[in-house]
Amino acid sequence: MFESMLKWLACLHPKDWINIISIVASITAIFISNYLGRLDSQKKLKHQQKVDRYNKLYVPVISFLFQQDMHNMLLFNIVGGNRFDEFSKIFQQNIKYLGKKSSDKYYRLIIKDGPLTRKYLDGLINEVSKGNLKEGDPIPMDLNVYAANSQFIDFLKEFLQESVDLAKELNLEPIGQTLLDAFPDEDNHSKLRTSEAQ
């Protein structure tokens, strides 16, 4: 079989070789073109998914937060302003777009430590509905309430950092950085905790 193939190849004229090379080159070009086309399609799809992620999750949350005073008791101002459900709905409808780190923190905040957080949120929402607590009012504090709020702030900082990283990757202005910079530093956070606990 192999010898007959060699004999056949030896009988080929230069013109036959040109035809064979031309056919092989055409087939190779088709495969390469299809492969490059698939790579380009996958690249465009991944890019579009990132754009969707940024526009459907990060932008609405950032837009919401731009209406808030970024401080260490942000959660309770959102609840006090009767806007927690509006804020939470953005995440519930777009949970698939959360990054790995923020989704871990969101899970701990809502599911793992959710009963603790929910207990205090429900209490605050109840006070708001009765008209006993309004945005800007002093909030009765204990360490559990403070812990729930700290988890919320930790989640938000991770979320905003992801928005900044994604914006840079998409060559967009990292508007989330403005909100990150607006948070008090950790020293102020510690001072607040000490003063509230007294």
Side-chain angles (χ1 to χ4, degrees), residues 55-121:
N55 288 331
K56 292 181 180 179
L57 176 61
Y58 292 98
V59 170
V61 172
I62 289 169
S63 177
F64 179 93
L65 292 174
F66 262 111
Q67 302 168 43
Q68 309 298 319
D69 182 13
M70 302 301 282
H71 55 74
N72 289 322
M73 298 311 297
L74 175 61
L75 172 61
F76 299 104
N77 266 19
I78 292 172
V79 173
N82 206 21
R83 301 191 68 191
F84 183 77
D85 287 341
E86 172 191 347
F87 181 72
S88 180
K89 190 174 181 182
I90 300 171
F91 288 100
Q92 290 170 5
Q93 292 177 340
N94 297 286
I95 192 76
K96 65 182 178 180
Y97 293 120
L98 273 175
K100 174 68 171 75
K101 289 183 179 178
S102 66
S103 63
D104 287 346
K105 291 183 178 185
Y106 184 78
Y107 175 80
R108 284 201 304 273
L109 180 70
I110 302 302
I111 305 299
K112 189 175 177 189
D113 297 321
L116 170 68
T117 308
R118 190 76 245 177
K119 172 184 172 185
Y120 290 105
L121 281 178

Side-chain angles (χ1 to χ4, degrees), residues 57 79 93 96 117 137 139 142 149-150 162 171 178 185:
L57 176 61
V79 173
Q93 292 177 340
K96 65 182 178 180
T117 308
D137 285 353
I139 297 166
D142 65 31
N149 188 75
S150 294
E162 287 176 356
N171 294 316
T178 302
D185 60 30

Side-chain angles (χ1 to χ4, degrees), residues 173-186:
E173 285 297 320
I175 55 176
Q177 188 65 54
T178 302
L179 296 170
L180 271 176
D181 293 342
F183 273 114
D185 60 30
E186 290 302 316

Side-chain angles (χ1 to χ4, degrees), residues 121-138:
L121 281 178
D122 287 344
L124 288 171
I125 290 169
N126 187 41
E127 290 299 304
V128 169
S129 66
K130 291 178 182 176
N132 298 334
L133 182 64
K134 295 182 176 59
E135 185 175 3
D137 285 353

